[in-house]
């Protein structure tokens, strides 16, 4: 992989025709260290956010030893990339029986999540009644504080939770309760409220709980979405966990996806055409900008030109390269008013749910991946002595 200092070096030397993924290994490692040092429990990386093997190795080097996998392909990938020392937890509550069997028998997976009696029976069958399982019951919680809801598809409701917890306790070596507050949770209350649900479920079921897993949802920074310090989230979670009716030896887990990898990469795109305040660029809804198109996510953008533009900023929207009308990113994306065809733009904070969502639709595929050494456009993890506080950066975006 080539290394450059920044997007400008890449644009100037390669003049790339296809979108280029710019990766920042140092940013991923910094995020990993932050969670390892500051989260008051075990942090497992939710692989679906970005399954790149290079990223997995970087997080491993940063101290992340546990991985939340959701498919048998992710199980194989993490085993193959990181070896037997990594701990894999199969946290998708609806799994193929064959996937459970292979994960347990061939890949040493011992932790599984579930949200129904049927899934519990499946796990018991697929593991031949194994007695060394950690089973986490997924509770349905509110997504009210998050930008992307995860409240409808999975999770057992409060009414049925006690019976499922009791049934799971009968088979599990260790019993866990897990939840997901939705992605990009904008306040720590999301976790405080969910932990109240956990308390109610534990009290109603009167079971001994060994693991409390607060799931993912930890935010990153985007234009218009500037969360408070992650340490406030950790404090709220720690206080909520400490006040639960569980034993002193109970463990606290989390499954951050976005927060560990959002800063890892950005994408360098080229403007192919301008029509008023609309830019036709060479990446889009079927590439790394799925969220920008489908859930109107705003990513930070920067014009990448040898000589900085002095033009005032103007709000643009983007069309992607495919022939599909839906390949449209509303933004708004603020760029100098004189941006034109042939210009390059860096779209930042695309490490999470960016490259991972890419398809080859209409023949538009990914270009090169290049390592850069400069800082991401925004960060939750920069040391305090550097001037780039989150708010300051986010205001500029
Ligand atoms: C997607 C997902 C995560 C990661 O969520 P983020 O919002 O990216 O932190 C964690 N756990 C489960 C079960 C998930 O489905």
């Amino acid at each position: 992989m080539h290394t450059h200092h920044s997007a400008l070096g890449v644009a100037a030397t390669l003049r790339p025709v296809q979108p280029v993924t710019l990766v920042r290994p140092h940013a991923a490692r910094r995020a990993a260290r932050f969670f390892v040092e500051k989260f008051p429990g075990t942090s497992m990386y939710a692989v679906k956010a970005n399954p790149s093997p290079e990223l997995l190795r970087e997080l491993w080097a940063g101290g992340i030893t546990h991985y939340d996998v959701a498919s048998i392909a992710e199980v194989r990938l993490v085993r193959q990339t990181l070896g037997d020392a990594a701990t894999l937890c199969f946290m998708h509550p609806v799994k193929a029986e064959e996937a459970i069997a292979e994960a347990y028998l061939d890949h040493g997976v011992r932790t599984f999540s579930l949200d129904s009696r049927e899934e519990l029976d499946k796990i018991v069958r697929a593991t031949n009644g194994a007695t060394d399982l950690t089973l986490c019951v997924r509770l349905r919680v509110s997504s009210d504080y998050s930008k992307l809801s995860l409240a409808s598809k999975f999770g057992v409701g409060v009414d049925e939770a006690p019976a499922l917890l009791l049934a799971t306790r009968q088979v599990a070596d260790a019993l866990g309760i897990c939840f997901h507050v939705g992605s990009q949770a904008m306040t720590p209350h999301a976790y405080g409220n969910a932990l109240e649900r956990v308390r109610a479920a534990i009290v109603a079921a009167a079971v001994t709980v060994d693991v409390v897993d607060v799931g993912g949802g930890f935010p990153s920074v985007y234009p218009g979405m500037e969360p408070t310090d992650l340490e406030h989230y950790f404090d709220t979670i720690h206080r909520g966990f400490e006040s639960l009716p569980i034993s002193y030896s109970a463990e606290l887990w989390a499954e951050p996806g976005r927060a560990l990898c959002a800063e890892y990469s950005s994408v360098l795109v080229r403007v192919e055409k301008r029509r008023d305040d609309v830019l036709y660029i060479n990446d889009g809804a079927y590439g790394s900008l799925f969220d920008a198109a489908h859930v109107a996510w705003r990513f930070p953008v920067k014009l990448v030109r040898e000589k900085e533009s002095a033009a005032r900023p103007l709000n643009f929207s983007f069309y992607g390269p495919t022939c599909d009308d839906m390949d449209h990113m509303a933004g708004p994306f603020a760029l100098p008013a004189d941006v034109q065809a042939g210009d390059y733009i860096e779209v930042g904070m695309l490490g999470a749910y960016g490259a991972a969502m890419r398809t080859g639709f209409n023949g538009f595929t990914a270009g090169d991946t290049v390592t850069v050494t400069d800082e991401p456009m925004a960060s939750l993890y920069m040391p305090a002595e550097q001037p780039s506080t989150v708010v300051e950066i986010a205001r500029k975006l």
Side-chain angles (χ1 to χ4, degrees):
M1 215 186 281
H2 303 287
T3 299
H4 287 268
H5 170 63
S6 66
L8 185 57
V10 178
T13 28
L14 305 180
R15 309 303 304 168
V17 177
Q18 285 179 292
V20 173
T21 305
L22 308 173
V23 298
R24 294 176 173 81
H26 68 284
R29 198 180 292 213
R30 184 166 56 200
R33 288 224 189 87
F34 185 95
F35 267 84
V36 169
E37 285 165 17
K38 308 213 157 146
F39 182 74
T42 301
S43 301
M44 52 172 125
Y45 173 56
V47 174
K48 79 163 188 275
N50 187 333
S52 138
E54 292 75 30
L55 171 63
L56 292 175
R57 281 190 280 268
E58 214 53 60
L59 294 175
W60 175 263
I64 299 288
T65 53
H66 288 55
Y67 295 81
D68 161 7
V69 285
S71 61
I72 194 62
E74 287 183 356
V75 171
R76 294 177 193 144
L77 171 76
V78 179
R79 262 292 165 262
Q80 205 180 338
T81 308
L82 301 178
D84 289 338
T87 302
L88 274 53
C89 301
F90 209 149
M91 302 308 280
H92 192 310
V94 184
K95 297 168 284 299
E97 203 162 316
E98 294 84 350
I100 300 168
E102 183 184 328
Y104 180 81
L105 297 169
D106 300 344
H107 303 289
V109 178
R110 293 294 175 266
T111 302
F112 298 88
S113 83
L114 60 121
D115 66 357
S116 68
R117 191 59 206 238
E118 293 72 28
E119 189 73 9
L120 179 61
D121 295 342
K122 224 194 265 177
I123 293 169
V124 170
R125 273 197 309 273
T127 63
N128 294 317
T131 56
D132 57 354
L133 300 176
T134 296
L135 298 181
C136 297
V137 171
R138 169 95 168 246
L139 217 56
R140 178 172 307 168
V141 299
S142 158
S143 272
D144 289 353
Y145 297 99
S146 304
K147 292 292 178 182
L148 290 176
S149 171
L150 286 169
S152 348
K153 192 167 179 180
F154 301 129
V156 60
V158 263
D159 295 347
E160 310 99 278
L164 186 58
L165 282 166
L166 281 170
T168 307
R169 179 75 273 179
Q170 310 297 311
V171 252
D173 176 40
L175 174 65
I177 298 190
C178 61
F179 57 79
H180 199 302
V181 298
S183 207
Q184 185 77 6
M186 291 306 294
T187 150
H189 297 314
Y191 296 91
N193 291 0
L195 285 166
E196 280 310 309
R197 288 265 183 112
V198 170
R199 166 197 301 286
I202 295 174
V203 169
V207 285
T208 308
V209 167
D210 308 295
V211 173
V212 175
D213 176 354
V214 299
F218 297 93
S220 186
V221 204
Y222 305 90
M225 290 186 264
E226 296 132 40
T228 178
D229 290 351
L230 282 178
E231 280 166 277
H232 293 157
Y233 288 73
F234 296 172
D235 288 344
T236 300
I237 289 167
H238 194 221
R239 264 184 280 119
F241 173 73
E242 288 287 315
S243 71
L244 290 175
I246 47 177
S247 77
Y248 281 112
S249 60
E251 293 180 25
L252 174 64
W253 297 357
E255 304 165 356
R258 178 188 304 280
L260 284 176
C261 62
E263 299 178 21
Y264 175 62
S265 62
S266 57
V267 175
L268 182 67
V269 302
R270 190 168 74 173
V271 179
E272 305 297 358
K273 169 187 166 163
R274 173 172 176 176
R275 188 182 79 194
D276 306 322
D277 57 356
V278 184
L279 302 178
Y280 293 64
I281 60 174
N282 62 351
D283 202 10
Y286 300 91
S288 63
L289 295 171
F290 182 97
D291 280 348
H294 296 290
V295 290
W297 207 268
R298 288 178 60 207
F299 294 95
V301 292
K302 195 164 77 182
L303 180 61
V304 179
R305 244 192 226 165
E306 208 77 59
K307 201 163 166 292
E308 248 182 69
S309 169
R312 70 196 159 77
L314 191 67
N315 281 334
F316 290 90
S317 65
F318 296 158
Y319 270 124
T322 70
C323 305
D324 192 336
D325 255 11
M326 282 202 326
D327 196 355
H328 176 246
M329 285 66 65
F333 303 101
L335 288 160
D338 64 350
V339 61
Q340 55 190 309
D343 272 329
Y344 286 93
I345 296 168
E346 183 179 8
V347 186
M349 312 302 284
L350 276 169
Y353 308 109
M357 320 278 276
R358 191 179 272 294
T359 74
F361 178 53
N362 226 172
F364 295 99
T365 51
D368 293 336
T369 296
V370 176
T371 302
V372 288
T373 55
D374 68 347
E375 292 301 347
M377 286 195 209
S379 179
L380 284 176
Y381 309 107
M382 300 279 240
E385 64 268 21
Q386 285 186 249
S388 35
T389 65
V390 166
V391 176
E392 197 179 319
I393 286 193
R395 283 217 184 94
K396 282 197 291 186
L397 298 177

